[in-house]
Amino acid sequence: EYNIVRPKGYTVSYHATDEMEKHHFGQTHPMKPWRLTLTKSLVTSYGMPFAMDNYNTRHATYEELSAFHSTDYLDYLATAAPEDQPRESDNEKEPKFNLGGSDCPLFHGLYDYCSMSAGTSLDAARKICNKQSDIAIAWGGGLHHAKKSEASGFCYINDIVLAILQLLRVYPRVLYIDIDVHHGDGVEEAFYSTDRVMTVSFHKYQPDTFFPGTGSLEDNGPQSEHNPGAHHAINVPLNDGITDEQYKNLFENIIGAVNEKFRPSAIALQCGADSLAGDRLGRFNLKVQGHGNCVRFCKSLGLPMIMFGGGGYTPRNVARAWAHETSIAIGADSNIPSTIPEHAPWRDHFIHDTLFPTLTQSLHEPRSNRNSEKRLREIVNHVHEQLRFVQH
Ligand code: ZL4
Ligand code: CA
Ligand code: ZN
């Protein structure tokens, strides 16, 4: 009923599974897999599936997960039960592999949830590798904090690292971009010693008070002569309240320069939606349009691309952003109405019936902007300095 058609000579694939969305981290935990259902229902109510290849994804196998994770860790992840959760009173019971605390609880079906998230991203990566998709969408992935042998910040399996490892079989260089409000530490660390992956994370940075506390401007990968990965990590540390306009200038300047110097052959874009205004955990003032602009800019570079999910703790805004970004991927963003369709399930859940709420609709009291133009210029200058060392 809307003007949604398949883009000509261009394939977008959407990778998801309803099974993943049924899992719960616990009553009041901020991570709600249900936001994926809300996203899918909004995407569907706009008719977008007609313009994409839609895949119901499978579980990643143990062997696939072990391409990055240690078998010790995977074995414990596969067998640990919610009962193994250390209790407050149990002083001596150390959480193993950082599993079972309040950030990374052990919940029923945890291993299934993790292997589905990874399966979604691996399927997306394979479609990019065999050139069956130009853009592959994996909103169930994007869990950038997980380490080789450790869970961290709501992330247990690093599906992004697994997907990039797949891309590296076919593509000489992969550019990883992370617009989640948190630092993409797990992905940065995994590729610290290679010059085939460049990582760029934009995030709120305030050591000690904002998770994970890493990702300073000066963190650019181990700076030793013998390390090919030196200068291949870029960090853009930001303060509360950054606006669409500032973010657009920074993003296009930095990613434009990185693209020219690094000459990536594929892009992995983590679209964490906790950088939106009004996010339960976030601190920025980005609107859906400002967040989506990053996707539009990346698409304009004309490279094969995977779009991952990530954070996002106000589900109605997560669904808005990821539905809008799906429409950008298929080139339908100017064809769909900004009013949420009458027949959309959960329509009332959105409170305001628009895809693009104003700042006051999202926040009631907009956050004050603590990013001075002077500091943003310093950041851009530092990044350009780093890029002088990168030449492909
Ligand atoms: C919660 O309400 O900063 C977990 C986590 C569970 C339910 C009830 C338990 C109450 C906020 C967060 C106690 C909660 C204490 N429940 C949480 C240092 C911390 C230790 C844990 O978007 N406490 C840790 C992780 C971050 C810390 C952010 C972002 C992931 C991603 C990609 C991960 N951890 C302090 C916090 C709640 C909870 C309420 C919480 N945890 C907020 N920020 C954190 O980048 C997916
Ligand atoms: Ca980030
Ligand atoms: Zn986040």
Side-chain angles (χ1 to χ4, degrees), residues 255-332:
I255 299 302
V258 166
N259 181 52
E260 278 178 21
K261 285 293 203 151
F262 181 62
R263 294 254 156 241
S265 26
I267 295 180
L269 175 61
Q270 197 266 22
C271 302
D274 47 7
S275 41
L276 291 171
D279 187 82
R280 180 176 160 194
L281 300 190
R283 306 287 184 86
F284 292 169
N285 276 350
L286 298 189
K287 293 188 283 190
V288 170
Q289 296 95 316
H291 199 268
N293 180 64
C294 301
V295 171
R296 188 177 295 108
F297 186 77
C298 288
K299 186 187 175 191
S300 78
L301 299 176
L303 295 166
M305 173 161 75
I306 306 179
M307 289 159 55
F308 303 94
Y313 306 101
T314 302
R316 58 181 182 278
N317 290 339
V318 178
R320 283 181 167 103
W322 292 350
H324 175 56
E325 288 160 16
T326 303
S327 80
I328 292 171
I330 59 178

Side-chain angles (χ1 to χ4, degrees), residues 28-30 102-103 144-145 153-154 180 182 211 274 281 311 313:
T28 55
H29 194 287
S102 54
D103 274 355
H144 59 178
H145 298 306
F154 319 162
D180 189 289
H182 299 99
F211 187 87
D274 47 7
L281 300 190
Y313 306 101

Side-chain angles (χ1 to χ4, degrees), residues 77-273:
L77 192 66
T79 54
E83 304 80 76
D84 299 334
Q85 199 102 252
R87 276 184 296 262
E88 281 314 293
S89 52
D90 271 343
N91 294 342
E92 58 269 47
K93 211 169 167 192
E94 271 275 299
K96 285 192 190 130
F97 307 107
N98 197 29
L99 289 166
S102 54
D103 274 355
C104 303
L106 293 167
F107 56 83
H108 181 73
L110 172 62
Y111 189 82
D112 282 338
Y113 166 84
C114 294
S115 58
M116 281 188 277
S117 164
T120 299
S121 299
L122 281 169
D123 279 0
R126 297 222 172 91
K127 288 290 161 193
I128 296 296
C129 285
N130 65 24
K131 320 255 180 346
Q132 285 181 39
S133 304
D134 297 285
I135 297 184
I137 298 176
W139 297 136
L143 305 179
H144 59 178
H145 298 306
K147 311 284 159 33
K148 178 180 179 179
S149 299
E150 200 184 293
S152 172
F154 319 162
C155 304
Y156 304 80
I157 292 291
N158 202 315
D159 60 285
I160 304 171
V161 171
L162 295 172
I164 292 176
L165 288 172
Q166 287 296 314
L167 294 179
L168 289 174
R169 293 176 171 210
V170 173
Y171 296 99
R173 287 180 301 282
V174 176
L175 172 58
Y176 174 67
I177 305 168
D178 185 318
I179 60 170
D180 189 289
V181 76
H182 299 99
H183 176 221
D185 57 351
V187 184
E188 177 183 283
E189 185 186 296
F191 298 109
Y192 236 30
S193 52
T194 176
D195 57 1
R196 293 184 61 201
V197 178
M198 182 145 200
T199 61
V200 185
S201 176
F202 297 78
H203 46 267
K204 153 92 183 161
Y205 178 67
Q206 191 168 30
D208 306 325
T209 60
F210 197 76
F211 187 87
T214 50
S216 70
L217 185 59
E218 292 73 29
D219 163 19
N220 299 108
Q223 306 288 309
S224 105
E225 272 179 69
H226 310 291
N227 188 334
H231 314 291
H232 284 69
I234 302 279
N235 284 295
V236 184
L238 301 168
N239 279 314
D240 289 5
I242 193 165
T243 64
D244 278 2
E245 195 198 352
Q246 287 178 320
Y247 204 92
K248 177 182 160 78
N249 288 335
L250 262 182
F251 189 89
E252 296 187 1
N253 180 315
I254 291 172
I255 299 302
V258 166
N259 181 52
E260 278 178 21
K261 285 293 203 151
F262 181 62
R263 294 254 156 241
S265 26
I267 295 180
L269 175 61
Q270 197 266 22
C271 302

